Amino acid sequence: MKKIWLCGVVALAAAAGATDTTPEAAAFFEDGMAKTNAAQYDEAIAAFEKSLAVDPNLVEAHEWIAHILILRGDYEGAIERYQKIVARNPSTDSKVSLGLAYLRVGDVDMAVKTLANAVAADPDNSKGWNNLSLAYLRQGKAEEALAAAEKAVALAPDYASAYVNLGNARLAQGNAATAIGSFEKAVGLDAAQADAYYGLAGAHDFLGEEKAAGDYYVQYLKKSGSAGANHSAAVEWLWAHGRGAEVPK
């Protein structure tokens, strides 16, 4: 069976600023947001921690620290941070990001539970539906994944990542031709969407269209670089089919 790479998206906190806090805590919080926007993540975390030292109940500061940890790939740290505020009604976006963090550490059941709760609370959250689609695919539930991805693209017709998961759900059901349409839509929306090229390669391979599959694997490697989640699989396919010389250096 072909390995499918799935697109998950971190949902950035919706809060524009700290609410219901002291002026001192708010000042530290705003400094943290400014540092975050400048990609100065160590300084941002330090500023948010200062705001929490003044106001330990400032939920937004915990949320932003968790978002930074996810961006850094520290999913365990993000989960620990979210758990500090789970009883304080964090934003839906934070629940969506927590669901993705659970996926990244391999706790698929908790990911599904968290994301299902998120979209139940906010049915118009397209990122929540997209990540739920990803979680269902990890569980091998293609039908549920398809329904969630369809909801995501209905809410956000220009959401390239959601079309990738829609294509993966269709491919998981054996509908390679319709999957190709979804992956092509993703590429049309975002030509840099590497996972869409990987999906196109897999769909054409499924149909026995070896030339097209190889061409898309090459495109995937060019778009994703050596850090791509499916880099090794794409390289192995190309060498196995006599096209190893086309692997980008």
Side-chain angles (χ1 to χ4, degrees), residues 227-238:
N230 286 301
H231 180 269
S232 295
V235 170
E236 288 173 8
W237 190 99
L238 288 166

Side-chain angles (χ1 to χ4, degrees), residues 87-221:
R88 302 185 196 173
N89 193 31
S91 68
T92 301
D93 280 348
S94 285
K95 295 174 185 176
V96 170
S97 294
L98 173 59
L100 181 61
Y102 278 125
L103 273 177
R104 293 294 187 245
V105 300
D107 194 342
V108 180
D109 291 341
M110 276 302 298
V112 169
K113 179 180 178 180
T114 302
L115 291 163
N117 287 339
V119 297
D122 181 7
D124 293 331
N125 193 300
S126 59
K127 292 182 177 66
W129 286 108
N130 185 46
N131 287 357
L132 182 58
S133 174
L134 187 161
Y136 280 136
L137 280 164
R138 290 281 177 85
Q139 284 188 327
K141 297 179 178 179
E143 184 175 351
E144 290 87 344
L146 179 63
E150 287 177 336
K151 184 70 173 178
V153 298
L155 288 166
D158 295 334
Y159 194 176
S161 176
Y163 281 101
V164 174
N165 282 335
L166 180 61
N168 280 324
R170 287 171 169 169
L171 186 56
Q173 292 182 316
N175 298 323
T178 55
I180 287 172
S182 298
F183 295 131
E184 288 178 340
K185 177 69 173 180
V187 170
L189 290 168
D190 179 6
Q193 183 68 248
D195 299 323
Y197 293 94
Y198 189 83
L200 282 165
H204 283 287
D205 191 24
F206 184 91
L207 294 172
E209 298 169 352
E210 184 175 310
K211 173 65 166 58
D215 291 346
Y216 282 119
Y217 278 127
V218 171
Q219 286 297 309
Y220 166 74
L221 292 171

